[in-house]
Amino acid sequence: MPATTIPGATTVSSLEAHLAVPAGEGPWPGVVVVHEAFGLNDDTRRQADRLAAAGYLAVAPNLFGAGGVRCLRATFSAMLAGEGPAFGDIEATRTWLAGHVDCTGRVGIIGFCLGGGFALGAASRGFDAAAPNYGRLPRNAREILVGACPIVASYGGSDPTLRGAAGKLESLLTELDVVHDVREYPGAGHSFLSTVEGPAASLMKVVGLGPHQPSADEAWARILAWFDTHLRRPAS
């Protein structure tokens, strides 16, 4: 799958991204894939490729650029605040994808870890569906999530960094009358949807991170069913 660049970004003149295109002829619904704290790596590319295999035009922008750890701090702060240049980059990506010749114009967003927080923060900003995975709630989540698109969210019950996050999000989305499906998987920790294998996966498990296949399989089934309902079918 090809690398591409997205114009109109806030932090750089053009945003590096991974574009995953389904087989056959489009147009297809689009999905913006927001990476975790490790940046646009092979794990994120595989998540985008999985969405393409399911029939979605998926693009994963690199929100870090060449900024490294310094950029990570600024990006994480923007996610918690619900505002900042990174949201401008996500909006540029959504606009580019919606206008792509192979896109139907309906666009969802999915994110993992850091990206899960951004998927929550961007859910009320023009997207048609959102799938935040183990995403931290923004500080002003109540204000940010007013008018949000339908949200399918997944958390690990054994994730010590996000204790109670699923319950808080469930209550908040119910209060705000946002269509949602929030699930917490008891046997899963943080990053349970990761595709990392081998020694890296074993090391992650030692500290309670990394893949948990039964939970990942169920979460992906819910995500794809959600996108099928809210992206592939015409809006009601």
Side-chain angles (χ1 to χ4, degrees):
M1 297 295 179
T4 191
T5 55
I6 297 166
T10 301
T11 56
V12 289
S13 58
S14 60
L15 200 63
E16 174 196 3
H18 171 76
L19 179 66
V21 182
E25 296 185 5
W28 305 279
V31 179
V32 174
V33 183
V34 189
H35 58 70
E36 59 186 6
F38 297 113
L40 179 55
N41 56 16
D42 287 342
D43 196 3
T44 305
R45 293 183 182 93
R46 284 191 290 267
Q47 307 288 19
D49 292 346
R50 179 169 188 156
L51 285 160
Y56 297 94
L57 186 65
V59 62
N62 182 2
L63 298 185
F64 291 166
V69 174
R70 182 178 178 184
C71 189
L72 168 59
R73 290 173 182 156
T75 306
F76 193 81
S77 295
M79 181 270 290
L80 289 176
E83 60 182 5
F87 281 101
D89 290 348
I90 291 171
E91 172 56 23
T93 305
R94 186 194 67 79
T95 300
W96 178 86
L97 186 56
H100 195 287
V101 65
D102 287 326
C103 184
T104 63
R106 294 188 65 75
V107 178
I109 183 169
I110 186 171
F112 307 86
C113 181
L114 174 74
F118 276 110
L120 276 175
S124 59
R125 306 184 191 203
F127 287 97
D128 297 295
N133 298 290
Y134 28 92
R136 191 172 298 278
L137 275 65
R139 294 191 190 97
N140 53 341
R142 178 171 279 97
E143 290 77 15
I144 287 175
L145 289 169
V146 170
C149 63
I151 292 174
V152 55
S154 301
Y155 290 87
S158 299
D159 181 354
T161 69
L162 292 170
R163 293 194 191 281
K168 290 177 183 176
L169 182 59
E170 168 75 34
S171 297
L172 182 55
L173 295 178
T174 299
E175 176 188 329
L176 296 175
D177 199 27
V178 173
V179 176
H180 65 278
D181 172 12
V182 178
R183 194 79 54 87
E184 184 178 79
Y185 294 98
H190 198 74
S191 297
F192 69 88
L193 284 162
S194 172
T195 64
V196 172
E197 297 179 338
S202 299
L203 180 61
M204 291 175 75
K205 286 182 179 179
V206 170
V207 293
L209 304 174
H212 187 265
Q213 203 58 48
S215 301
D217 289 343
E218 185 177 337
W220 267 113
R222 290 171 47 242
I223 291 165
L224 293 178
W226 198 259
F227 282 173
D228 182 60
T229 297
H230 297 287
L231 297 181
R232 199 182 302 281
R233 301 175 192 175
S236 57

